[in-house]
Amino acid sequence: MRFRPGAKLDPSQVQDRRGLGGGGGPIAIGGGGLGLAALAVYLLISVLGGGNAGDVFSGLNGLTTGAPGGQSAGATLDCNSGADANERQDCRIVGDVNSIQKYWAGYFRAHGKTYNAADTVFFSGSTQTGCGGATTDVGPFYCPVDKQVYIDLDFFQELHDRFGARGGPFAEAYVLAHEYGHHAQDLFGDLKTGGSEGAQGRSVRTELQADCYAGVWARRAVATGYIVDLTQQDVNDGLDAAAAVGDDRIQSQTQEQVNPETWTHGSSAQRQSWFARGYQRGEPTGCDTFKGSV
């Protein structure tokens, strides 16, 4: 995946808090998917790597309740063009975010709705969010309270080293597109509090819809004007990343057994299938995961 060298990037859509720290609040939240309710917010984190599916929010031992005040907004990155995106990872993520949000802004506008942009926040170690204090262990996530996406860029190396994904620029873009899929769900009013576990539960359906939305963006990515082309290898890298973080694969690696009743994000096959469906159909209307079987 290559960016148009002359494309103008908007770095204001990304806050860089790396190196700033920002400890959590006083009450630690234990692991376990259902422990999420203790946050008293509908934080539907998309932990693309956090623990096994029975404890997919294992990173919540690094997420605490408490006021988010006192955290610096972070610096603005020196990323101005597609040429910068082709040379630097952080600028590439800026380009991904710009492209993803341009797609969604256009879709909302075409349907008579308003798209409210969401910043992505880079952090290292820990940071404060509208959903409480978070550490790197939480993984990438969308916070519906402050409407921002949070990510430690070291996650992409973990995706390769720990979960066996091939990685690559489009695998990274898939992660961001998935998180912004949650933002779109939020704006549509589809991001609901709570949700049952299991292969057909609401939690899985919510995550699979975000995967499908990621596929929709991928289909329209070149049309946003930032990206030169998207090859079949790029799409394959996205499918590979989706499979790497399937609940069944994570469970088999960490528990040596698979229990669909505890799934929260979907199996490798489900995640690949819904990403592919979004890519093939190219429209969010093809991403209704809340009807029928998934």
Side-chain angles (χ1 to χ4, degrees), residues 36-37 41-44 191-197 202-203 206:
L36 186 63
V41 296
Y42 50 98
L43 177 57
L44 285 170
L191 200 56
K192 306 298 184 182
T193 304
S196 58
E197 293 185 349
R202 183 173 184 88
S203 177
T206 298

Side-chain angles (χ1 to χ4, degrees), residues 62-220:
L63 184 63
T64 58
T65 60
Q71 178 68 60
S72 169
T76 299
L77 290 161
D78 183 21
C79 300
N80 301 304
S81 69
D84 295 332
N86 288 330
E87 294 176 1
R88 290 170 44 187
Q89 183 193 45
D90 52 1
C91 292
R92 184 165 66 240
I93 303 304
V94 171
D96 292 338
V97 170
N98 288 172
S99 176
I100 294 164
Q101 297 215 91
K102 184 173 181 180
Y103 166 72
W104 282 114
Y107 180 83
F108 273 65
R109 184 169 55 251
H111 291 80
K113 300 179 183 296
T114 299
Y115 177 79
N116 298 313
D119 283 356
T120 284
V121 179
F122 294 166
F123 72 97
S124 57
S126 63
T127 194
Q128 285 287 350
T129 82
C131 298
T135 70
T136 297
D137 292 338
V138 175
F141 65 95
Y142 170 72
C143 173
V145 177
D146 60 20
K147 316 294 186 188
Q148 295 188 142
V149 172
Y150 292 85
I151 186 168
D152 184 328
L153 297 186
D154 286 345
F155 169 75
F156 294 126
Q157 191 62 46
E158 182 179 22
L159 186 64
H160 175 273
D161 295 345
R162 181 181 175 190
F163 298 101
R166 289 194 299 264
F170 188 74
E172 296 172 1
Y174 155 73
V175 172
L176 272 298
H178 177 101
E179 299 307 336
Y180 276 95
H182 286 314
H183 181 54
Q185 290 173 321
D186 197 6
L187 296 180
F188 285 138
D190 295 330
L191 200 56
K192 306 298 184 182
T193 304
S196 58
E197 293 185 349
Q200 299 296 319
R202 183 173 184 88
S203 177
V204 165
R205 292 173 184 272
T206 298
E207 296 299 331
L208 295 179
Q209 186 175 62
D211 280 334
C212 188
Y213 285 168
V216 170
W217 165 75
R219 181 64 177 268
R220 306 297 181 183

